[in-house]
Amino acid sequence: MEREVRVRFAPSPTGALHIGGVRTALYNYLLARKTGGKMILRIEDTDQNRFVPGAEDYIRRSLEWCGIELDESPWNGGPYAPYRQSERKPMYMQYALQLVNDGHAYYAFDTAEELEAMRERLKAAKVATPQYNAITRATMRNSLTMPEDEVKKLLESGAPYVIRLKVPRKEEIRLKDMIRGWVMVHSSSIDDKVLMKSDGMPTYHLANIVDDHLMKITHVIRGEEWLPSAPLHVLLYRYLGWEDTMPEFAHLPLLLKPDGNGKLSKRDGDKLGFPVFPLHWQDPFTGEISSGYREAGYLPDAFVNFLAFLGWNPGTQQEIFSMQELANEFTVERIGKSGTRFDIQKARWFNEQYLRAKPDSELAGYLLTALEEHNIDCTHEKAAKVAGLMKERVSFPQDFWKEAAYFFVAPEEYNEKVASKKWNAQSVAVFEQFKNELPTIADFNADSVKELLTTILERNGMKIGQVMQALRLAVTGAEAGPDLMQIIEIIGREETIARIETAIAKLSQYATAE
RNA sequence: GGUCCGUUCGUCUAGGGGUUAGGACACCAGAUUUUCAUUCUGGUAACAGGGGUUCGAUUCCCCUACGGACUACCA
């Protein structure tokens, strides 16, 4: 019988969760949804020195924003609680001791200085990889080299110690990765990893295996940086007697910097001109602020869609996927093997697609928010109209206000290039007639306004192309924008007349230059 | 340095022993438009290199190069 799929995302609360982490969470979530399994979040806070206040909450809010729902977590509980490793502390020692009793682990009493000295010694002896291993452990202070009663005495005296895994000297360890196939590693290249630290906390290696086992995790999907230690984890499953229920592994390709030089790291932040965090984050220690995708104006759906395609694709031509569609189509097999460079332009394109797919009434909300901030009254209906006209030319919600302010505020300045090129006495003459006759229109709308303008132009023997740019300048101050007649309809008759009058007065210097 | 992983247009990728090597983003050009944008049409552009295996290799194998990850009582 197939086990229920149970996947976990296991971040460490050491700062803001960066997009690589979000993608890992997303792939886990997608597999859970696809298979009807469970998505678990476990906080890996075994390193008390690296605790960062607010980081855990940040993780929670980030996932929420992305729409990644958790079936079990520290916040909504679950049958395998607690979901914070710090709260699971009492559970780990017994497994470490089991390993010691079975001869697969041992106590070590070496101080930091002694370890350092050992590495120095090996380096001086031109050893390629100085490590605590099957050879060097014989020269160190541990329960394998020391007399039993001395070890006992030390332990009873409360002397600091760690428990290390006794990695076999010569053994080929095989690991099946869902993305990469069989990976073979020789045990001699693995060192005797610390399992229990001297502060009584387990290391990642032990905690992760114990928790994954107890939480009945079936698939471990994590970043490629874990691949080198995966064989060690296989060894642990074996020694703990859990090999038959060992989860399947999938090591995700890394997210690289846009230049391909190294993995995208938290430090890269805004240095590269785009956010690396889902949400805005302020470091509580340094006060340093990093921008987030949410604040930059990315819609969560677009962000998720973009992220999903960084290393995965459905094998079809379809690019726009809702979370539901992603969950339906997702398979681990279709995840690529090679590192993925980060391309912010694609993210922006996704955002535009999602923005344009939204109904005008919803887009109006973005505009209304900005208008409120500027103390400008506006009906929902008008905002929706403006949004409808602008949606093809914006990338982010905040662009609506940025690009369409002239719908609400008369221009203060006029684009100088257009003014000097298009503003002349001839068009001013037309505008005079135009604004004088505007009050005669019975039903004021884009069509009727255009009709009036056309009539006047004919009367003056001119073509529409000769004045349009100048008229746009008068009404909006800008050189480009949506259909001018639509703009005029929205801002209304009085405002249009006023703006034309203002422009004629302010731009008189250009009118004589003809 | 050692171990491991990787390498198809600039980027994300599809494909896979015989293809005009496909798509998307970006870029360029044309069409449309009152402008910009959108839209439409078209275009530039890739199998890292060398050896094998084979009638045939971009595809399979090996080597090299390059890139990356790891190499802590961090995760």
Side-chain angles (χ1 to χ4, degrees):
Chain A
M1 195 194 102
E2 285 282 298
R3 288 192 289 169
E4 176 193 47
V5 168
R6 292 176 56 81
V7 295
R8 88 303 198 270
F9 176 55
S12 168
T14 53
L17 177 65
H18 99 314
I19 44 182
V22 178
R23 189 192 57 169
T24 302
L26 176 63
Y27 286 178
N28 273 286
Y29 175 70
L30 258 18
L31 180 65
R33 284 292 167 274
K34 161 93 177 191
T35 56
K38 293 280 190 291
M39 170 74 177
I40 292 110
L41 182 129
R42 186 175 67 225
I43 295 288
E44 310 234 323
D45 55 352
T46 52
D47 187 356
Q48 294 151 332
N49 300 320
R50 294 215 301 160
F51 174 78
V52 175
E56 189 182 302
D57 188 52
Y58 181 92
I59 291 166
R60 177 186 188 169
R61 287 183 292 116
S62 296
L63 297 181
E64 259 171 28
W65 181 68
C66 293
I68 296 172
E69 306 152 312
L70 305 170
D71 296 304
E72 299 169 26
S73 77
W75 316 303
N76 55 3
Y80 301 92
Y83 291 90
R84 259 180 221 105
Q85 289 183 328
S86 57
E87 293 169 14
R88 300 171 68 81
K89 185 176 176 183
M91 312 172 68
Y92 302 109
M93 184 53 101
Q94 59 174 303
Y95 297 104
L97 292 178
Q98 180 191 326
L99 289 169
V100 173
N101 288 338
D102 294 346
H104 292 306
Y106 58 91
Y107 298 101
F109 302 95
D110 315 278
T111 64
E113 293 71 37
E114 287 168 334
L115 289 171
E116 185 53 33
M118 180 265 280
R119 291 196 188 99
E120 286 304 317
R121 189 166 6 104
L122 290 177
K123 245 194 271 173
K126 298 265 195 301
V127 173
T129 45
Q131 53 181 19
Y132 208 117
N133 61 17
I135 316 272
T136 51
R137 72 166 81 105
T139 68
M140 305 301 286
R141 298 180 57 237
N142 54 54
S143 59
L144 300 173
T145 60
M146 296 159 73
E148 205 174 314
D149 54 331
E150 195 183 335
V151 170
K152 207 171 163 192
K153 230 189 311 181
L154 270 173
L155 290 176
E156 278 166 2
S157 74
Y161 67 92
V162 300
I163 295 178
R164 283 181 183 271
L165 183 68
K166 192 177 165 193
V167 175
R169 169 118 86 126
K170 285 195 241 176
E171 197 174 309
E172 196 76 45
I173 305 164
R174 281 156 42 97
L175 159 80
K176 192 173 182 199
D177 183 272
M178 284 191 278
I179 294 172
R180 289 151 218 284
W182 285 103
V183 176
M184 243 85 81
V185 178
H186 197 84
S187 64
S188 62
S189 67
I190 302 173
D191 61 349
D192 286 0
K193 282 273 180 310
V194 169
L195 265 19
M196 291 298 294
K197 300 188 269 191
S198 56
D199 65 1
M201 275 289 202
T203 59
Y204 168 85
H205 301 294
L206 206 228
N208 137 321
I209 270 68
V210 169
D211 287 342
D212 283 347
H213 175 257
L214 295 178
M215 293 181 177
K216 297 193 162 53
I217 300 301
T218 57
H219 301 262
V220 170
I221 303 173
R222 75 226 303 191
E224 190 185 328
E225 68 267 29
W226 292 111
L227 194 51
S229 56
L232 171 84
H233 300 158
V234 171
L235 232 38
L236 276 167
Y237 278 106
R238 186 175 304 161
Y239 294 157
L240 286 165
W242 301 335
E243 206 172 7
D244 53 333
T245 54
M246 183 170 75
E248 292 202 65
F249 292 103
H251 290 94
L252 266 20
L254 262 15
L255 252 33
L256 271 23
K257 302 182 202 206
D259 62 5
N261 247 238
K263 73 170 172 176
L264 196 58
S265 73
K266 297 186 174 187
R267 305 283 318 254
D268 293 323
D270 297 294
K271 233 167 36 191
L272 297 166
F274 57 84
V276 295
F277 300 117
L279 273 35
H280 162 280
W281 164 257
Q282 178 167 23
D283 187 293
F285 301 124
T286 65
E288 192 185 347
I289 291 174
S290 307
S291 69
Y293 279 86
R294 183 181 62 188
E295 289 73 19
Y298 286 87
L299 305 173
D301 291 355
F303 178 68
V304 163
N305 197 154
F306 163 68
L307 224 44
F309 270 70
L310 247 32
W312 173 87
N313 80 87
T316 65
Q317 306 285 72
Q318 188 183 345
E319 303 237 39
I320 304 296
F321 281 83
S322 65
M323 187 70 98
Q324 185 59 54
E325 291 173 306
L326 285 172
N328 290 149
E329 298 305 314
F330 185 78
T331 58
V332 176
E333 288 69 31
R334 291 207 66 89
I335 297 174
K337 294 187 199 349
S338 50
T340 305
R341 293 190 204 191
F342 193 82
D343 180 15
I344 194 65
Q345 288 186 117
K346 196 88 173 231
R348 187 193 171 99
W349 178 81
F350 272 110
N351 212 51
E352 289 167 353
Q353 301 307 307
Y354 275 82
L355 222 38
R356 283 166 204 171
K358 282 186 183 294
D360 297 349
S361 61
E362 192 179 337
L363 263 14
Y366 301 129
L367 198 48
L368 256 7
T369 309
L371 288 168
E372 233 168 83
E373 282 166 20
H374 291 82
N375 290 311
I376 296 169
D377 277 334
C378 175
T379 64
H380 187 277
E381 194 193 350
K382 180 177 173 185
K385 263 192 189 167
V386 175
L389 284 180
M390 296 303 295
K391 70 202 261 187
E392 301 294 328
R393 55 192 78 233
V394 299
S395 301
F396 303 105
Q398 64 270 28
D399 293 344
F400 282 108
W401 166 251
K402 271 198 229 158
E403 307 284 327
Y406 53 73
F407 279 94
F408 310 95
V409 185
E412 304 257 332
E413 286 169 1
Y414 299 90
N415 182 296
E416 214 168 300
K417 231 172 116 188
V418 182
S420 61
K421 265 178 78 177
K422 304 279 182 179
W423 195 264
N424 55 50
Q426 218 183 349
S427 14
V428 168
V430 170
F431 301 155
E432 289 280 1
Q433 299 167 41
F434 181 58
K435 60 117 176 156
N436 286 336
E437 291 173 44
L438 235 24
T440 66
I441 294 177
D443 185 15
F444 188 87
N445 60 45
D447 289 338
S448 57
V449 171
K450 184 161 192 181
E451 212 180 297
L452 173 68
L453 182 63
T454 312
T455 310
I456 295 173
L457 284 168
E458 271 172 28
R459 197 198 296 155
N460 290 268
M462 290 174 71
K463 291 215 174 99
I464 201 158
Q466 292 174 269
V467 300
M468 266 304 194
Q469 279 292 80
L471 186 56
R472 175 181 298 280
L473 186 72
V475 175
T476 71
E479 79 287 4
D483 183 88
L484 186 56
M485 296 306 142
Q486 297 284 344
I487 295 175
I488 288 175
E489 174 182 320
I490 290 174
I491 67 175
R493 192 190 324 244
E494 280 72 35
E495 180 67 14
T496 304
I497 294 172
R499 289 190 187 185
I500 292 174
E501 283 171 348
T502 307
I504 290 175
K506 283 196 179 174
L507 296 170
S508 57
Q509 46 172 325
Y510 297 105
T512 56
E514 167 79 342

